[in-house]
Amino acid sequence: MLVDRYGRPFLKLRVAVNDVCNFSCIFCHFEGQLRGVGRLLNADDYGFLVDVLSKVGVRDYKLTGGEPLLRSDIVDIVRKMNRDGVEISMTTNGFRLAELAEDLAAAGLRRVNVSVHTTDPEKFSKVAGVPKEWFRRVLDGVHAAVKAGMKVKLNAVLLKGINDDRESLRSLVKLAASIGASIQLIELMPVGLGSRVFGDLRASADEVAELLEGMGARPAYTRKDLHNRPILRLAGVDVEIVKNWNNPYFCAGCTTMRLTSDGKLKPCLYREPVVDLYGPIKERDAKRVYEAVSRAVYVREPTFKLKIDYSSSL
């Protein structure tokens, strides 16, 4: 296991498999990478990377993009990455999920996060920048994933005046309960397009959590393995609160790094890549991959650090 200077183990890797998307969400951070970078790793490359990293304790891989389901070989990517002791999951806008869910599950995809920021088709259209009719297609994908046996989590970025009110939250919980899904409420981040709307649309995750508690939600547990995220339970649904901005407790519990679609390793969404794995992966050089990843872990540090005031004790 690789552990950084702050005692945080590297256990999870977010893998951006492409740099394109068919949605135009108003807050998109695009995983903190550039669009249209060009070069891509193939399915065999990802399989090799899992072989190397799983030996040092990285067993959790989340496929992202862009929109990962736009890759024609996405099922093959999942299949080549899948092996005993490794869990493959995915974050998707759900547009192609209905047609691919069964094949993805058969290839080894166990969990899927689907972006459902609101259950209102009109608001959905405004947020995602797509026709409101596409909302039904996303819901069809959610149901297909459930039918295929995958665990489903609904991702909702909290947006002031759009989905941070009691009725919107109740509607999301009702949808999740009807299909046996959980919910992830994500605080807006000032990254990518999110920086343009941060001041106007940021809704406080703390305030939303208080609203949920007023609706009857109760603390369930805390995800110590991932950013110390608190989990509330409402109407039988687990609601995960992702409060990442300016939150040192979130950073203190981070066990994740990110691989860009062109093979560069980022220690954090807010930081630039620190090593380029593209060449070593293509050359199947496990030693160079391990050494580069070790360097990345060494320089990794929390973006937001806890500040302790000792003046009161002096």
Side-chain angles (χ1 to χ4, degrees):
M1 181 183 296
L2 298 174
V3 181
D4 68 21
R5 294 167 296 160
Y6 296 83
R8 302 176 305 168
F10 173 34
L11 304 175
K12 305 172 187 287
L13 183 68
R14 290 182 68 93
V15 181
V17 297
N18 62 359
D19 53 13
V20 294
C21 186
N22 55 335
F23 279 37
S24 300
C25 295
I26 58 177
F27 50 75
C28 183
H29 59 57
F30 224 72
E31 293 292 330
Q33 69 167 36
L34 297 174
R35 301 181 186 232
V37 294
R39 69 181 190 181
L40 296 173
L41 298 170
N42 61 38
D44 289 325
D45 295 332
Y46 288 120
F48 168 74
L49 182 62
V50 171
D51 282 335
V52 176
L53 295 185
S54 63
K55 293 176 182 177
V56 292
V58 183
R59 301 296 176 87
D60 191 317
Y61 299 84
K62 183 175 289 294
L63 304 181
T64 70
E67 168 49 43
L69 295 185
L70 294 183
R71 276 197 66 149
S72 60
D73 60 345
I74 189 61
V75 174
D76 197 33
I77 288 175
V78 173
R79 184 180 298 110
K80 291 295 177 67
M81 293 178 70
N82 185 37
R83 65 226 335 96
D84 290 341
V86 166
E87 183 161 293
I88 311 297
S89 62
M90 179 183 293
T91 294
T92 173
N93 61 33
F95 185 78
R96 296 195 64 214
L97 189 54
E99 63 188 277
L100 292 172
E102 191 172 322
D103 289 341
L104 288 167
L109 192 68
R110 300 290 174 252
R111 297 182 289 115
V112 63
N113 292 44
V114 185
S115 298
V116 182
H117 308 290
T118 171
T119 61
D120 183 317
E122 294 286 351
K123 290 182 178 179
F124 168 84
S125 175
K126 177 181 178 181
V127 170
V130 297
K132 65 180 181 180
E133 290 77 18
W134 287 19
F135 179 65
R136 171 47 57 185
R137 183 159 175 163
V138 173
L139 288 187
D140 289 343
V142 169
H143 287 285
V146 172
K147 184 178 179 180
M150 288 187 273
K151 291 183 179 179
V152 175
K153 183 179 291 184
L154 306 181
N155 279 5
V157 173
L158 293 170
L159 301 167
K160 184 187 300 183
I162 295 178
N163 62 4
D164 64 333
D165 60 283
R166 183 183 295 263
E167 188 54 41
S168 295
L169 294 169
R170 193 187 308 278
S171 183
L172 278 171
V173 170
K174 183 178 179 180
L175 171 61
S178 71
I179 57 175
S182 59
I183 298 174
Q184 185 168 251
L185 299 178
I186 308 165
E187 201 168 53
L188 182 64
M189 292 169 276
V191 178
L193 298 180
S195 61
R196 301 180 185 179
V197 300
F198 188 73
D200 294 327
L201 294 182
R202 178 179 177 267
S204 167
D206 288 336
E207 292 178 5
V208 169
E210 290 179 7
L211 181 58
L212 288 168
E213 290 172 355
M215 295 164 59
R218 293 294 178 264
Y221 60 97
T222 300
R223 288 202 64 181
K224 295 293 185 181
D225 67 313
L226 190 61
H227 305 121
N228 294 313
R229 299 178 183 181
I231 312 292
L232 304 178
R233 188 163 293 143
L234 177 61
V237 174
D238 282 354
V239 182
E240 191 168 335
I241 308 295
V242 183
K243 184 181 185 301
N244 56 78
W245 175 248
N246 201 23
N247 182 1
Y249 295 102
F250 184 90
C251 290
C254 182
T255 58
T256 304
M257 290 205 290
R258 297 164 178 265
L259 187 71
T260 64
S261 62
D262 59 344
K264 296 174 183 175
L265 195 60
K266 290 170 61 77
C268 174
L269 176 67
Y270 298 105
R271 297 182 182 274
E272 295 302 311
V274 290
V275 294
D276 191 343
L277 300 180
Y278 186 85
I281 290 174
K282 286 293 184 182
E283 295 166 14
R284 300 294 186 266
D285 193 330
K287 183 174 183 291
R288 284 175 59 203
V289 169
Y290 170 76
E291 290 173 347
V293 172
S294 296
R295 289 197 303 274
V297 172
Y298 178 77
V299 301
R300 183 173 179 256
E301 62 181 27
T303 297
F304 304 109
K305 301 181 180 69
L306 186 64
K307 295 180 174 61
I308 301 175
D309 182 6
Y310 294 101
S311 60
S312 61
S313 61
L314 296 178

